[in-house]
């Protein structure tokens, strides 16, 4: 099978108070590692800083991917970002340094439209691949509902960012 993507950018999610991954974080990493195992992506770029726990999300994600059998040299980390806009902003220089062109963003399915918008706004041509839970839960449905105000907030932030850059 031909490698389709140079890199899958895997977006972080909550690390629990005991340092273990939330269901969303584990789901996203499992989805990305399966793509890597099937040979669809060459590298995984784990993106997420210390948001709810002192350990950066990207470090927990890297450990999960390596434990799942992905060679450590195929897994890179961006461990400073605190939200999706930060994921994009902090991943740009890493992607440029490696010369990666074919990019895949991995996140939860409901988060993909906003994530793609943000990464494209930061100059990265990305395709998306969404993780989904095995069973639909109230939390999963609530996450879909939260994306509407999150998208509106993102549009405002990106508009303000553009104005500041052009003034």
């Amino acid at each position: 099978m031909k490698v389709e993507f140079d890199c899958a950018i895997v977006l972080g999610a909550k690390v629990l108070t005991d340092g273990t991954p939330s269901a969303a974080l584990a789901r996203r990493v499992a989805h990305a590692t399966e793509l890597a195992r099937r040979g669809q992506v060459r590298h995984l770029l784990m993106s997420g800083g210390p948001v709810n726990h002192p350990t950066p999300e990207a470090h927990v994600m890297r450990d999960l991917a390596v434990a799942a059998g992905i060679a450590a040299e195929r897994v890179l980390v961006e461990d400073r970002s605190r939200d999706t806009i930060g994921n994009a902003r902090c991943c740009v220089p890493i992607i440029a340094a490696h010369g990666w062109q074919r990019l895949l963003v991995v996140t939860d399915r409901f988060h993909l439209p906003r994530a793609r918008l943000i990464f494209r706004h930061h100059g990265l041509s990305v395709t998306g691949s969404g993780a989904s839970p095995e069973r639909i839960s109230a939390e999963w449905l609530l996450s879909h509902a939260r994306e509407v105000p999150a998208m509106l907030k993102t549009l405002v932030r990106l508009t303000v960012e553009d104005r500041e850059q052009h003034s």
Side-chain angles (χ1 to χ4, degrees):
M1 172 181 274
K2 181 181 173 223
V3 175
E4 292 181 52
F5 299 96
D6 298 321
C7 176
I9 306 156
V10 189
L11 303 187
K14 189 175 187 177
V15 173
L16 302 177
T17 55
D18 64 359
T20 59
S22 63
L25 188 69
R27 177 173 55 243
R28 293 172 186 188
V29 173
H31 184 72
T33 57
E34 182 57 29
L35 295 170
R37 256 198 298 279
R38 289 193 306 223
Q40 292 181 277
V41 298
R42 190 174 316 278
H43 295 93
L44 301 177
L45 175 53
M46 305 305 193
S47 182
V51 179
N52 295 310
H53 188 273
T55 303
E57 296 166 354
H59 294 193
V60 174
M61 297 162 69
R62 176 194 55 217
D63 294 347
L64 286 172
V66 171
I70 305 303
E73 59 271 10
R74 293 178 65 194
V75 184
L76 291 89
V77 297
E78 174 289 298
D79 58 6
R80 296 179 300 130
S81 61
R82 300 182 57 80
D83 58 23
T84 310
I85 292 174
N87 294 139
R89 191 177 294 133
C90 292
C91 284
V92 166
I94 297 169
I95 291 164
H98 287 87
W100 294 329
Q101 299 293 315
R102 298 169 299 150
L103 305 171
L104 182 70
V105 172
V106 173
T107 187
D108 281 311
R109 189 172 303 257
F110 63 82
H111 185 227
L112 271 177
R114 187 162 58 94
R116 282 195 315 257
L117 171 79
I118 291 167
F119 276 79
R120 289 175 180 162
H121 181 85
H122 285 84
L124 297 173
S125 177
V126 296
T127 301
S129 184
S132 296
E134 291 181 21
R135 286 185 287 278
I136 301 299
S137 65
E139 179 185 354
W140 177 256
L141 295 173
L142 184 58
S143 295
H144 280 77
R146 282 194 304 256
E147 272 303 298
V148 173
M151 179 64 93
L152 294 173
K153 181 179 176 183
T154 295
L155 292 170
V156 169
R157 285 183 64 192
L158 294 177
T159 300
V160 168
E161 193 176 276
D162 282 347
R163 285 186 182 151
E164 288 173 352
Q165 288 177 356
H166 293 99
S167 53

